[in-house]
């Protein structure tokens, strides 16, 4: 039945957004993770890449997380000679995570998740209506 | 008596099929709201002409258990199309607007409710006709 296909597509969307949320949480958790020794690199920000895939069995365009890549932007530097991972000049490399960017991203993921949820709700309502015909 | 052969019932079930398919397409749009390069789609509007002509696609009959059913079943009543005049396109090429999709979904659900209510009313009418006859 087609309504189940609609629900499957929405569920795939929710799953993808959930993965995105998880990655953002990882980024935020590691916002202060520096390297342990000089010369090592700190935590690198991760980004999810969404991909549109055709579910051949169901015949619907679902979405999935194609890969979790790393953000190639430069690390931030902070002057802190007392830090164990400080280089010869006294600079420490900090992760390339920006809390404002992450907050915005988390918001967007949440909105998309909610939209998928209400899409499922709509499909469910239609399905209930169909079953209601039997009751009359 | 087969209710499916009655004109009105046939019409209603076709419209319900169209609405179901539309819901499916819209759900796909929402699921892909953050996929780069994804273009939102919608069904061609249900017209009176569609309602009267049976333009359902033919499905090959499977004579062997090993035959594949195919991805598009007989449910494919209406053709979907890319939305031509998107309101806004994101820099990554995605033109799904959640608000717009929500409105479309709301319409679909409302229409579906109308049709199912109509269906029920029609059945009730036939029932009462039978009852007065006895």
């Amino acid at each position: 039945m087609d309504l189940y296909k609609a629900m499957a597509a929405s569920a795939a969307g929710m799953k993808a957004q959930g993965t995105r949320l998880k990655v953002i949480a990882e980024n935020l958790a590691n916002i202060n993770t520096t390297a342990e020794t000089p010369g090592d690199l700190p935590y690198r920000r991760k980004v999810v890449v969404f991909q549109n895939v055709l579910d051949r069995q169901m015949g619907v365009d679902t979405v999935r997380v194609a890969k979790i890549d790393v953000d190639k932007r430069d690390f931030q530097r902070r002057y802190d000679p007392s830090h164990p991972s400080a280089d010869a000049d006294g600079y420490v490399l900090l992760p390339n995570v920006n809390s404002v960017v992450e907050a915005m991203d988390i918001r967007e993921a949440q909105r998309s998740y909610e939209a998928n949820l209400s899409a499922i709700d709509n499909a469910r309502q239609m399905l209930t209506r169909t079953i209601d015909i039997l009751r009359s | 008596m087969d209710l499916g052969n009655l004109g009105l019932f046939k019409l209603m079930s076709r419209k319900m099929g169209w609405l179901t398919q539309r819901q499916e397409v819209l759900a796909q749009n929402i699921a892909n709201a953050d996929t780069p390069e994804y273009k939102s789609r919608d069904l061609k509007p249900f017209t009176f002409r569609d309602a009267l002509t049976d333009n359902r696609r033919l499905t090959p009959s499977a004579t062997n258990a090993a035959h594949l059913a195919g991805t598009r079943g007989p449910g494919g009543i209406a053709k979907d199309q890319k939305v031509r005049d998107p309101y806004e396109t994101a820099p990554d090429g995605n033109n799904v607007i959640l608000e717009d999709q929500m409105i479309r979904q709301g319409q679909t659900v409302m229409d579906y409710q109308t049709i199912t209510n109509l269906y029920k009313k029609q059945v009730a009418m036939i029932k009462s006709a039978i009852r007065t006859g006895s």
Side-chain angles (χ1 to χ4, degrees), chain B residues 18 22 50 55 73 79 115:
Chain B
W18 183 85
R22 188 174 192 214
D50 291 337
N55 55 359
K79 259 197 190 140
I115 299 292

Side-chain angles (χ1 to χ4, degrees), chain B residues 19-38:
Chain B
L19 288 168
T20 305
Q21 220 191 338
R22 188 174 192 214
Q23 173 69 23
E24 186 197 324
V25 171
L26 296 177
Q28 288 174 27
N29 284 345
I30 293 175
N32 284 293
D34 295 317
T35 310
E37 293 294 319
Y38 184 85

Side-chain angles (χ1 to χ4, degrees), chain A residues 17 20 112 118 122 130, chain B residues 24 32 34 71 102 105 112:
Chain A
Q17 298 297 343
R20 186 184 182 187
S112 298
S118 66
N122 283 341
T130 319
Chain B
E24 186 197 324
N32 284 293
D34 295 317
T71 50
M102 293 335 274
Q105 278 220 331
Y112 202 84

Side-chain angles (χ1 to χ4, degrees), chain A residues 44-56:
Chain A
R44 216 176 244 285
R45 176 175 179 250
K46 288 181 193 159
V47 278
V48 287
V49 182
F50 286 134
Q51 191 191 23
N52 175 240
V53 277
L54 176 69
D55 187 331
R56 286 192 186 283

Side-chain angles (χ1 to χ4, degrees), chain A residues 23 27 44-49 65-72:
Chain A
V23 170
N27 287 341
R44 216 176 244 285
R45 176 175 179 250
K46 288 181 193 159
V47 278
V48 287
V49 182
V65 175
K67 59 177 172 181
I68 298 173
D69 218 341
V70 287
D71 190 339
K72 294 180 189 74

Side-chain angles (χ1 to χ4, degrees), chain A:
Chain A
M1 187 140 171
D2 279 7
L3 281 172
Y4 288 117
K5 288 188 195 171
M7 283 185 181
S10 301
M14 282 166 76
K15 211 175 131 195
Q17 298 297 343
T19 311
R20 186 184 182 187
L21 220 56
K22 192 193 84 186
V23 170
I24 298 169
E26 271 177 44
N27 287 341
L28 280 174
N30 283 296
I31 199 160
N32 288 320
T33 309
T34 56
E36 281 179 41
T37 49
D40 266 1
L41 294 176
Y43 176 83
R44 216 176 244 285
R45 176 175 179 250
K46 288 181 193 159
V47 278
V48 287
V49 182
F50 286 134
Q51 191 191 23
N52 175 240
V53 277
L54 176 69
D55 187 331
R56 286 192 186 283
Q57 198 188 350
M58 302 270 277
V60 282
D61 268 346
T62 56
V63 66
R64 71 181 173 96
V65 175
K67 59 177 172 181
I68 298 173
D69 218 341
V70 287
D71 190 339
K72 294 180 189 74
R73 266 192 314 174
D74 289 340
F75 294 114
Q76 297 171 52
R77 293 171 79 212
R78 192 178 63 198
Y79 184 69
D80 187 1
S82 64
H83 200 278
S85 69
D87 61 9
D89 298 330
Y91 279 99
V92 184
L93 285 178
L94 290 174
N96 53 354
V97 181
N98 186 340
S99 59
V100 180
V101 173
E102 300 301 322
M104 201 193 71
D105 223 18
I106 219 164
R107 208 72 178 164
E108 208 180 288
Q110 195 188 352
R111 291 285 167 272
S112 298
Y113 191 91
E114 278 168 8
N116 277 307
L117 201 61
S118 66
I120 286 186
D121 203 41
N122 283 341
R124 199 182 48 80
Q125 260 186 53
M126 284 167 76
L127 215 55
T128 319
R129 286 274 156 181
T130 319
I131 297 163
D132 265 3
I133 291 179
L134 288 176
R135 250 185 258 157
S136 64

